[in-house]
Amino acid sequence: MSTAQHSAQELKTLFEEYLFEKAFEGFPDILLEPAMQIMKTKAKRIRPVLLLTACEAFGGSAREALSAASAIEIYHNFTLVHDDIIDEADLRRNVETVHHKFGINKAILTGDAMLIQAYDLLSHSKHHTDILPVFKKTAMEVIEGEQQDVDFEDREEISLKEYMEMIRLKTSVLLAAALQIGAVIGGASEANQKKIYQLGMNLGLAFQIKDDYLDSFGDQKTFGKKIGGDILQNKKTYLLCKAMEKSGEKEKEEIKTTFRETNPDVKINRMIDLYHQLSIPEDTENQMEAHYNQAMKYLQEVSLDPKQMIRLRQLAEDIYQRSF
Amino acid sequence: MSTAQHSAQELKTLFEEYLFEKAFEGFPDILLEPAMQIMKTKAKRIRPVLLLTACEAFGGSAREALSAASAIEIYHNFTLVHDDIIDEADLRRNVETVHHKFGINKAILTGDAMLIQAYDLLSHSKHHTDILPVFKKTAMEVIEGEQQDVDFEDREEISLKEYMEMIRLKTSVLLAAALQIGAVIGGASEANQKKIYQLGMNLGLAFQIKDDYLDSFGDQKTFGKKIGGDILQNKKTYLLCKAMEKSGEKEKEEIKTTFRETNPDVKINRMIDLYHQLSIPEDTENQMEAHYNQAMKYLQEVSLDPKQMIRLRQLAEDIYQRSF
């Protein structure tokens, strides 16, 4: 294997150069500013870095995977633009959302144009005939997961099984597809593609459950967001679904009373107490670690050079530990 | 040429069978009902019938073009779903719009899923490598035209040149692309593809200008909509842009005073009087006929069997005369 190997940081730099210099060629001028409003927001670029790392791990050149990596990142940001309209969110990562700055009409059309751009980048990618079906399935699943999430808001109780299916669709399949698409471009066998897809799926589930966990039990400094945001919004999370599942009538009433509490600090503290009483932190840690371990098990099953195995494991670990 | 030839009505029937039995395979169940809300609305299916006719005219089989025809119709309806949100329209062709019936959130996601479905159908079509670039360019242009239309609403005066460019993008390029894609699948030469694209472009311009004309000067019975709808909304149309272009300061003031008139009948009659004073009906008729004649000129230049030429001319004529 003579291809150059890059660190995750190097891949991120390489990727962002391509993203801003090449990936928006042919994009309508009239919608470029709103698109850049979200694309230029500081971001980890987890999906493209996974894609490019997988490509290199199987002996491919990261440069040949840059258009596919851009497609995945632009697709991801398209979903955020439309999601922020749906959630009526004014800020994302402390930056004004597209619809808040440019209006809902422009945000809808900017998202639409970004989806078209993503498809176009993919259809020009190496191995596009193998990649397009993976992307189509994934893109549809993400939209479906978003619709489930919207529907959940109007329902009082969501089973843990329903919640897990929603986050599988809304979050995990795109990480899985990023790894698979990188593997395809790198020349991986079908068997290896399947394993690495499952790696991504389980990493995505572990990542999302940990996100829910950190929102209530994280260290405010390292988490970067205010603790208890999900609790204040009565948001359906792994913690809440698990708590409802474990509760008898009495505890369910206590949870529902807490939903109506208007003092933010009282509300957060009361819900965190309830979670502790029901051992939710321990259950959640177990669940996220189980998925993380499952991801590592799939990684072990991929036929890869040991050096590449270590590299992929390190990246997964860094993403999971929020140290990337 | 041994391939079966179908009338426009037969092609429409063949198309709708495929559209409802095959084209939505793999579409998320959760979004199928809102998608069918618009797809099942009675429609002429102008774009797929043009596509299938062009395919047969060049010796192709309509059946091989059904997935591409579905893609174009689903794409067109996706733009309508998002456009109706933007225009805050409650009704389309006397049927409740998707967002009015299912809410804005579901309508945004339904549109997104329809765009993905359209791309997927195209990427499975015969000659997809030649078709995808035509579709991408067109899909982006339509979005750009929609954004221009939105921007025009907030501006007092739009030049005729700006208006023509907007309708070229928003309406005409999709008719042109439908014909070109049909021609590609039918096996047309590149030279013929270009001519038939220009035919579609000019037919689209003639069609849209006539639409504006009929809104003020049509026969209410045959037009199917209430006369003067555009006038009541102060909508930028060919008539209005032309009238502003021809007006001196005095007439411009009269037009602007009419914009503020609150009695609907008075408003419509006053604007129609102004249009007559400025000879706008004659100018508009000349312009739409010039584009229609240009379309026919391009048709003459296509190398086609005379029988096929007559067939395409008849379809264009029927679309223009609203008799299809």
Side-chain angles (χ1 to χ4, degrees), chain B residues 276-294:
Chain B
H276 277 298
Q277 283 168 37
L278 292 159
S279 308
I280 300 301
E282 296 76 8
D283 290 341
T284 309
E285 283 166 14
N286 289 341
Q287 186 68 23
M288 68 202 200
E289 276 161 27
H291 282 294
Y292 185 73
N293 292 337
Q294 192 64 38

Side-chain angles (χ1 to χ4, degrees), chain A residues 50-114:
Chain A
L50 279 170
L51 190 154
L52 298 172
T53 305
C55 174
E56 286 195 344
F58 288 100
S61 150
R63 290 188 192 278
E64 290 189 318
L66 287 169
S67 73
S70 302
I72 294 296
E73 186 69 2
I74 293 171
Y75 173 81
H76 173 59
N77 280 271
F78 138 75
T79 67
L80 301 181
V81 172
H82 282 187
D83 242 20
D84 286 337
I85 301 172
I86 291 171
D87 296 341
E88 301 177 10
D90 297 347
L91 291 176
R92 170 172 292 278
R93 306 179 204 129
N94 291 317
V95 175
E96 229 182 327
T97 52
V98 178
H99 70 95
H100 193 257
K101 180 154 183 182
F102 296 92
I104 288 180
N105 297 349
K106 208 161 211 166
I108 291 176
L109 296 174
T110 300
D112 294 345
M114 288 167 73

Side-chain angles (χ1 to χ4, degrees), chain B residues 119-304:
Chain B
Y119 248 111
D120 189 53
L121 285 160
L122 275 185
S123 60
H124 287 92
S125 171
K126 194 178 176 184
H127 296 308
H128 60 269
T129 45
D130 294 327
I131 290 172
L132 279 171
V134 178
F135 179 70
K136 187 262 170 166
K137 179 170 171 283
T138 306
M140 222 40 138
E141 286 174 337
V142 173
I143 306 280
E144 193 174 351
E146 286 172 359
Q147 183 58 48
Q148 289 185 2
D149 199 16
V150 170
D151 290 345
F152 286 0
E153 274 178 41
D154 302 326
R155 286 175 48 194
E156 198 165 61
E157 226 178 306
I158 305 298
S159 74
L160 207 55
K161 197 179 154 200
E162 289 174 304
Y163 181 76
M164 289 302 293
E165 174 63 2
M166 185 276 284
I167 64 169
R168 183 182 78 80
L169 295 170
K170 191 174 171 179
T171 305
S172 307
V173 294
L174 193 58
L175 298 187
L179 281 170
Q180 184 179 352
I181 290 171
V184 171
I185 299 173
S189 68
E190 275 196 40
N192 279 336
Q193 286 177 37
K194 279 185 190 158
K195 302 285 184 200
I196 206 157
Y197 181 89
Q198 290 300 335
L199 187 178
M201 176 75 82
N202 280 283
L203 178 62
L205 293 171
F207 184 88
Q208 182 58 49
I209 296 170
K210 188 163 184 176
D211 210 60
D212 291 355
Y213 176 87
L214 292 174
D215 195 89
S216 289
F217 301 106
D219 174 351
Q220 187 145 332
K221 271 187 230 155
T222 53
F223 184 51
K225 286 189 273 190
K226 201 179 170 318
I227 294 300
D230 290 347
I231 294 174
L232 289 180
Q233 293 175 58
N234 297 334
K235 206 180 150 191
K236 269 80 174 186
T237 61
Y238 186 87
L239 313 179
L240 181 60
C241 296
K242 185 74 186 172
M244 292 297 266
E245 193 186 72
K246 286 181 91 177
S247 290
E249 282 311 308
K250 192 175 142 281
E251 288 100 343
K252 276 194 186 174
E253 274 319 303
E254 281 182 61
I255 292 173
K256 287 176 191 170
T257 306
T258 311
F259 281 166
R260 295 187 293 271
E261 172 60 51
T262 52
N263 179 315
D265 290 334
V266 171
K267 182 169 180 167
I268 292 171
N269 289 333
R270 191 171 295 159
M271 192 64 93
I272 286 180
D273 279 350
L274 281 164
Y275 284 156
H276 277 298
Q277 283 168 37
L278 292 159
S279 308
I280 300 301
E282 296 76 8
D283 290 341
T284 309
E285 283 166 14
N286 289 341
Q287 186 68 23
M288 68 202 200
E289 276 161 27
H291 282 294
Y292 185 73
N293 292 337
Q294 192 64 38
M296 292 302 106
K297 201 170 143 271
Y298 278 112
L299 178 60
Q300 283 304 327
E301 292 177 14
V302 180
S303 317
L304 260 187

Side-chain angles (χ1 to χ4, degrees), chain B residues 2-8 10-16 18 48-70 125-126 181-183 185-187 311:
Chain B
S2 62
T3 327
Q5 299 277 319
H6 302 87
S7 72
E10 286 168 345
L11 288 176
K12 185 181 164 183
T13 305
L14 198 66
F15 168 73
E16 288 195 330
Y18 185 90
V49 170
L50 279 169
L51 190 154
L52 298 172
T53 304
C55 175
E56 286 195 345
F58 287 100
S61 150
R63 289 187 192 277
E64 291 190 316
L66 287 170
S67 73
S70 302
S125 171
K126 194 178 176 184
I181 290 171
I185 299 173
R311 212 178 143 208

Side-chain angles (χ1 to χ4, degrees), chain A residues 10 27 35 113 115 316:
Chain A
E10 286 167 346
F27 198 81
L115 175 53

Side-chain angles (χ1 to χ4, degrees), chain A residues 25-31 75 78 82-83 85-87 104-110 112-117 119-120 123-124 128-129 132-133 135-136 139-141 143-144 146-148 150-151, chain B residues 25-31 75 78 82-83 85-87 104-110 112-117 119-120 123-124 128-129 132-133 135-136 139-141 143-144 146-148 150-151:
Chain A
E25 276 175 10
F27 198 81
D29 283 344
I30 201 171
L31 298 171
Y75 173 81
F78 138 75
H82 282 187
D83 242 20
I85 301 172
I86 291 171
D87 296 341
I104 288 180
N105 297 349
K106 208 161 211 166
I108 291 176
L109 296 174
T110 300
D112 294 345
M114 288 167 73
L115 175 53
I116 294 168
Q117 194 76 6
Y119 249 112
D120 190 53
S123 60
H124 287 92
H128 61 269
T129 46
L132 279 171
F135 179 70
K136 187 262 172 169
M140 226 33 141
E141 286 174 336
I143 305 281
E144 193 174 351
E146 285 173 359
Q147 183 58 48
Q148 289 184 3
V150 171
D151 290 346
Chain B
E25 276 176 9
F27 198 81
D29 283 345
I30 201 170
L31 297 171
Y75 173 81
F78 137 75
H82 282 187
D83 243 19
I85 300 172
I86 291 171
D87 296 342
I104 288 180
N105 297 348
K106 209 162 210 164
I108 291 176
L109 295 173
T110 300
D112 294 345
M114 289 167 74
L115 175 53
I116 295 168
Q117 194 75 5
Y119 248 111
D120 189 53
S123 60
H124 287 92
H128 60 269
T129 45
L132 279 171
F135 179 70
K136 187 262 170 166
M140 222 40 138
E141 286 174 337
I143 306 280
E144 193 174 351
E146 286 172 359
Q147 183 58 48
Q148 289 185 2
V150 170
D151 290 345

